[in-house]
Every structure is written in C-alpha cells, then in structure tokens.
C-alpha cells in the first residue's frame, strides 16, 4: 500500500498570501495524483488530477506540480473561501486507493 | 447536473447490519465505476469499496473485506453498500463518489454523505 504524507499538518496564512502544500508518496505514483478540498460539513471537492490538471470550474489560482513521489499544490493568492482542509490521493496503485492525512489551511 | 444522494445511515449496535443506498442522476450511471469513501468525523478520508460500471468487478479495503458487499442496479441508477458485522470503528460519514473515468479512480462528484454510528 502506498502511503501519502502531507505537510505541513496546519498552515496559517492571511488572505492574499501564497500557500504551498506538499504531498509525498512512499513510492512512485507517476502523475497519478489528485487533490481535494473539503470545507466543514461538506463533501470533498476535486481540485486537481494528473498532478497538474485543474478540474472543471477550479479557479486558475490553484496549480499543481510534481511527479514520482513529490507533489505540490499551490494557491497563488488566498481567497477567504480557500481556507479548508486539503487532501491528496493516489490512484496508480489501486486498489487500495489511499489518501494523505490532510493539511488544514487556516486564517492567520 | 450530476447528483448523488446517499441514504440508509443511522445508529446500529455492534454486530448489526445496515444497507446504504446512493441514488445517482445526471449522467449515464452504467458507464462509470462508483466508490464509497468514509470519514470519521474530524479525521481523514478512507477508501472503502469500489465497483465497475457493469457491476461485475468489486474491490474492498482490507478493513471491510468479508463484511461489506457493494452492488449496483443500473436499471435504477442506484448503488448499494450492505454492511454486516458492524464494529465501532465503522462509525463514520459514508460518501458515495463517481469515478472520473475508466482506469482513473479519482472522484469528480461526491454525495453529501450519510452518517453511520455503531454503538451499544
């Protein structure tokens, strides 16, 4: 089973700042990585797939990069609605699908 | 518009059973694999089970293998998760999710979730 480790656990930033979230895989997943955003009481929302492809309707302030074992989700200028929990998910080795433990992005 | 509506959650004693349903609309249901993901309140996401579009292939997490059964009725656009021998560690919000595409098991649409509580 591929383990995904996200860092940091919590990121405290202000609106307008740049956020950089990391996801590291225990073995290569090539580009088979997705990112999700979850706000309180809501289901996860797909942000990125294939490591760097934005899902339908996702603003271009969100970008993804990386391949192999190291991935980054960047939010260029934080909007108030971006403060949420973010999860990465690998889908190269399935089943089982695995998710990272999440990064909480909170308002500073 | 794609919609996924889960139902069937509730409270049950350890060892009991529940059947979750997920009613789908807005897409050609039989063309897409479907998945259940669960989340203990306040915790992370855990993949539970998946089923191919035809229903012929099913996959389970080790934690539920032998206790949960996933099925679908493509004539009713509905997904079912039969959960038997429930344990306290099965307590979670259960989400059904639509796979993005064949051989690409990530999820572009999710239901709102249904809470399952296993407690004596």
């Amino acid at each position: 089973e591929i383990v995904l480790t996200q860092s940091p656990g919590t990121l405290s930033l202000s609106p307008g700042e740049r956020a950089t979230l990391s996801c590291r895989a225990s073995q290569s997943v090539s580009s088979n990585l997705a990112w999700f955003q979850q706000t309180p009481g809501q289901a996860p929302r797909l942000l990125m797939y294939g490591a760097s492809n934005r899902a339908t309707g996702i603003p271009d302030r969100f970008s993804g990069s990386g391949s192999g074992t190291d991935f980054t989700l960047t939010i260029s200028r934080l909007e108030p609605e971006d403060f949420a929990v973010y999860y990465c998910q690998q889908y190269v080795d399935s089943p089982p699908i695995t998710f990272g433990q999440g990064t909480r992005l909170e308002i500073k | 518009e794609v919609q996924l509506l889960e139902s069937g959650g509730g409270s049950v004693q350890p060892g009991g059973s529940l059947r979750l349903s997920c009613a789908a609309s807005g897409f050609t249901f039989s063309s897409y694999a479907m998945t259940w993901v669960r989340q203990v309140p306040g915790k992370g996401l855990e993949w539970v089970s998946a089923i191919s579009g035809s229903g012929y292939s099913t996959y389970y997490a080790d934690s539920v293998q032998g206790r949960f059964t996933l099925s679908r009725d493509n004539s009713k656009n509905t997904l079912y998760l039969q959960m038997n021998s429930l344990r306290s560690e099965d307590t979670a919000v259960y989400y059904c999710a639509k796979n993005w595409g064949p051989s690409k098991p990530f999820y572009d649409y999710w239901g709102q979730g249904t809470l399952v509580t296993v407690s004596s």
Side-chain angles (χ1 to χ4, degrees):
Chain A
E1 176 178 312
I2 295 176
V3 176
L4 299 178
T5 303
Q6 293 187 240
S7 61
T10 301
L11 184 58
S12 300
L13 293 170
S14 301
E17 290 193 296
R18 180 184 186 92
T20 303
L21 288 68
S22 174
C23 177
R24 176 164 291 178
S26 59
Q27 62 191 77
S28 176
V29 300
S30 186
S31 294
N32 295 292
L33 191 101
W35 288 94
F36 296 88
Q37 177 194 65
Q38 188 178 32
T39 53
Q42 300 297 312
R45 177 174 73 144
L46 177 66
L47 294 177
M48 313 290 301
Y49 63 92
S52 60
N53 300 291
R54 274 188 300 277
T56 302
I58 302 303
D60 61 6
R61 65 179 180 274
F62 290 89
S63 62
S65 63
S67 66
T69 61
D70 290 301
F71 300 87
T72 300
L73 175 70
T74 302
I75 312 171
S76 59
R77 294 173 310 279
L78 285 166
E79 298 287 342
E81 62 267 27
D82 298 336
F83 292 91
V85 180
Y86 291 82
Y87 295 95
C88 56
Q89 177 228 324
Q90 67 80 20
Y91 51 94
V92 71
D93 179 32
S94 60
I97 298 297
T98 51
F99 293 88
Q101 83 281 15
T103 289
R104 180 178 305 276
L105 178 57
E106 64 176 25
I107 298 176
K108 187 173 182 180
Chain B
E1 179 191 6
V2 172
Q3 292 192 335
L4 300 172
L5 185 61
E6 302 100 333
S7 60
S11 295
V12 62
Q13 292 188 335
S17 298
L18 278 177
R19 188 176 82 156
L20 304 184
S21 299
C22 173
S25 61
F27 64 102
T28 305
F29 183 66
S30 60
S31 295
Y32 291 89
M34 298 291 293
T35 297
W36 287 93
V37 174
R38 68 184 180 184
Q39 185 174 37
V40 174
K43 303 297 184 183
L45 302 169
E46 180 188 14
W47 176 83
V48 174
S49 183
I51 188 168
S52 62
S54 65
Y56 290 148
S57 299
T58 53
Y59 310 90
Y60 299 94
D62 287 347
S63 57
V64 307
Q65 180 78 48
R67 300 187 298 121
F68 289 13
T69 302
L70 183 55
S71 62
R72 64 192 296 160
D73 184 337
N74 286 343
S75 69
K76 295 182 178 179
N77 290 351
T78 302
L79 184 69
Y80 302 101
L81 184 65
Q82 179 66 45
M83 305 187 296
N84 298 331
S85 303
L86 283 162
R87 307 167 179 168
S88 58
E89 55 264 36
D90 296 318
T91 294
V93 175
Y94 285 72
Y95 295 102
C96 72
K98 170 186 167 291
N99 285 37
W100 185 84
S103 302
K104 295 295 184 184
F106 59 90
Y107 317 113
D108 53 355
Y109 291 95
W110 298 62
Q112 85 290 350
T114 188
L115 177 62
V116 171
T117 303
V118 184
S119 174
S120 55

